[in-house]
Structure formats: structure tokens, C-alpha cells
Amino acid sequence: MALTKVLKTSAYFSRYQVKYKRRRAGKTDYRARLRLSTQDKNKYNTPKYRLVVRFTNRNVVCQIAYATMAGDKVICAAYSSELPRYGLKVGLTNYAAAYCTGLLVARRMLNKLGLDKHYEGNTEDVGEDYNVEAEDDAPRPFQCILDAGLKRTSTGSKVFAALKGALDGGLDIPHNEKRFVGYDPDSKEFDAEILRKYIYGGHVGEYMEEMIEEDPEKYQAHFAEYLKNGVEPDDLEDLYTKVHEAIRADPAAKPKARSKPAEAKRWKEVKLTYEQRKDKLKAKLSELMAGDDE
């Protein structure tokens, strides 16, 4: 059988429709987004809130957002770059920092809505799974769903660390303990102690101790910021405990102090007044007349 070359005709190209820009850039999974943002018709214009968790090279971003025809509206946001204000100056992208950022966005959201006094969240054993329960004499807890974006949702992912922080902060988010670190898919059992260890940075402390024994020089370089801030392997649990307490004490965002520049920059010429235009015209006419006399 002879092979035939497939040629795309002009009809193909005239009907070709490019994909959305963010799909072409590989930034948005529109199939998942459609299912995350589509609201039931019998709920009319009620927003469908999402806990958006994103990771950059230096930051953990947690936002509470909802979709509109004009684009997403973000009603609350927290970033791991804010954690130095609460006492955490190193390790701003690890599992424990993701938990702290999730806790911060949850407490900030409830504080904004005036629900922080009604729903304190999980203040006891953070390793155990927690589901907020509605109080009889208070509004219902704030409900949203997790939006993990393009990040792979494997067991132990840092996305679920942010989710655990938001749950312990008092948000009502549908979830399952099978994706938290500490769940064993073979035995189908969840070990709360392992999750607790990761939340308090125990895995980082173990790695620090191992590196001190095996390669002290690499330890000095790898954990230079920890050493600069005086953070030792045994100090991590106390450090994260204080950070959690500080977040609960004051979750509100603090605006940056902005000073007005001494001299404002202008890229356009200043518009002349009527009198200035008249004087300019007179000067130009007198210059022309002087040239004619010569």
C-alpha cells in the first residue's frame, strides 16, 4: 500500500482556532479551571471561592479568589515573604513554611469576615486531621475548595501543607487525609506523628544533623542563612511554635510605608498657560522681526 502525504487544505487553516493564551503558555489547565469555577444554577450569583496555592522559586502564594466574567477577584492573600514579620526568616519555601502561609491566609480571611472569634481552628495536635464544625449561635464557617493549579498532587506535596494550614486556621475545605505526608498507601494508614514532624520542620532538622556529621563544610554553605540567624536543628520546633502563635495573634496585613518622592518624574512637557503661550508667541514674533531688519 502506497503512503500518501496528508496535506492541510486552506479550509483547515481558515477554520483553525488558536487555544487560549495561558494554555499556549502552559500556565492554566482550563479543564480543571472550568470544574473549579462553575457554580450551580440554583445558587445564582453566589461566588465559588477557591484556595489558590502557587509556588515560585522564593515564595509560597496563598489566595482566596472567585471567578467572574471579567476575571478572578482575589479577596484575601498571604505570602511566605511576610513570615519574617512573624519571626521566620529562613526556609520560606519548605513544607513548614507552606503550612504557615496557609494558616496565615485562613486567619486573615476569617479576621476580615469577623469570624475569627467564632472559629479558632485546630490549636491542639496539628498532626491530626481537622474538620471545622459549625457553631449553633454563629454564622457558618467559610467554605472554599483547593486550587492546586498545575502542581502535581502527589502524596506529601507542599500544596497539601498549605491546605493543612488553612484547615487548622478554621476554613472549611473538602479534603482527604490520603494526600498528607504520613499516609502510607500500602497499609492505608495515616501516621499523624510524621505530619506533625514536617509541620514543625523536623525533617529539615534531621537533614541538618546528618549533614553536620557527614560534610561540615557543605553544611556551612548550604545552611548559611540558618547559621546567620542563629537557627540550630534543635531550635526548629520552638521557632515554628512561636510563628504559629504570632500569626494567630495578629494575622492582618500591614501596608508598606510609602514615602512620596521629593521630585516627581514627568515624561510629558508641562502644559503652558494662556499667558505663557502669549509671551512665547510675542518672543518668537520679535525674533522674526529682528531678523528681517537685519
Side-chain angles (χ1 to χ4, degrees):
M1 182 177 176
L3 296 174
T4 57
K5 187 177 180 182
V6 178
L7 297 175
K8 291 186 173 69
T9 62
S10 61
Y12 168 83
F13 290 106
S14 65
R15 287 166 175 76
Y16 183 78
Q17 183 175 4
V18 297
K19 296 187 184 298
Y20 291 141
K21 182 179 179 181
R22 290 183 64 85
R23 172 62 190 88
R24 298 198 306 270
K27 293 181 178 179
T28 299
D29 180 357
Y30 281 98
R31 185 174 186 274
R33 178 180 168 79
L34 181 67
R35 285 153 180 76
L36 286 169
S37 57
T38 303
Q39 182 63 289
D40 297 334
K41 285 189 175 181
N42 61 357
K43 294 182 181 177
Y44 299 97
N45 204 27
T46 306
K48 193 169 186 177
Y49 297 105
R50 311 190 319 272
L51 171 64
V52 181
V53 181
R54 299 290 184 270
F55 292 86
T56 68
N57 288 341
R58 296 187 177 185
N59 237 338
V60 182
V61 181
C62 292
Q63 299 173 331
I64 306 292
Y66 65 94
T68 67
M69 293 295 288
D72 283 4
K73 302 291 184 184
V74 178
I75 57 175
C76 185
Y79 306 88
S80 62
S81 57
E82 299 178 61
L83 295 179
R85 175 184 143 205
Y86 297 100
L88 184 64
K89 298 180 180 180
V90 290
L92 300 182
T93 55
N94 60 23
Y95 198 93
Y99 175 88
C100 292
T101 311
L103 179 65
L104 177 59
V105 75
R107 297 311 300 167
R108 184 171 289 172
M109 185 72 239
L110 295 181
N111 182 40
K112 185 176 181 180
L113 298 176
L115 297 174
D116 53 333
K117 302 298 182 186
H118 299 290
Y119 299 104
E120 291 290 335
N122 185 12
T123 56
E124 297 175 2
D125 187 4
V126 297
E128 294 291 340
D129 191 14
Y130 178 77
N131 290 282
V132 64
E133 295 181 0
E135 294 184 4
D136 296 332
D137 55 344
R140 287 177 294 180
F142 183 83
Q143 187 178 43
C144 57
I145 54 178
L146 177 66
D147 182 348
L150 298 177
K151 191 164 178 66
R152 186 164 296 185
T153 53
S154 55
T155 300
S157 173
K158 290 188 292 184
V159 169
F160 302 110
L163 169 67
K164 182 68 169 74
L167 291 168
D168 289 351
L171 296 186
D172 183 11
I173 307 172
H175 69 283
N176 195 307
E177 64 183 20
K178 290 182 179 180
R179 286 302 180 202
F180 293 142
V181 64
Y183 179 80
D184 186 1
D186 296 328
S187 63
K188 301 190 184 303
E189 292 181 356
F190 173 67
D191 190 346
E193 281 302 315
I194 295 177
L195 177 58
R196 186 182 184 280
K197 181 182 78 171
Y198 273 70
I199 288 172
Y200 286 111
H203 61 301
V204 179
E206 288 178 0
Y207 184 53
M208 291 172 75
E209 291 172 353
E210 181 184 333
M211 195 176 286
I212 290 172
E213 294 176 2
E214 295 181 359
D215 195 346
E217 291 183 6
K218 186 179 178 182
Y219 171 75
Q220 295 288 336
H222 197 75
F223 290 99
E225 288 297 317
Y226 283 72
L227 297 173
K228 183 179 176 182
N229 288 278
V231 179
E232 298 292 334
D234 299 332
D235 303 335
L236 289 173
E237 184 167 348
D238 293 337
L239 173 65
Y240 284 110
T241 302
K242 290 177 183 177
V243 171
H244 298 168
E245 291 173 356
I247 288 172
R248 289 181 176 277
D250 183 20
K254 293 289 186 289
K256 289 184 179 179
R258 298 184 183 277
S259 58
K260 191 175 181 180
E263 190 174 330
K265 293 182 180 180
R266 295 187 68 97
W267 286 268
K268 293 182 179 180
E269 291 185 5
V270 180
K271 191 174 182 180
L272 300 177
T273 62
Y274 176 67
E275 295 297 329
Q276 289 173 333
R277 292 201 304 274
K278 278 175 62 177
D279 295 339
K280 187 178 179 181
L281 180 60
K282 286 178 181 178
K284 188 177 286 187
L285 289 172
S286 62
E287 186 179 343
L288 290 170
M289 290 173 67
D292 291 341
D293 293 341
E294 293 175 0

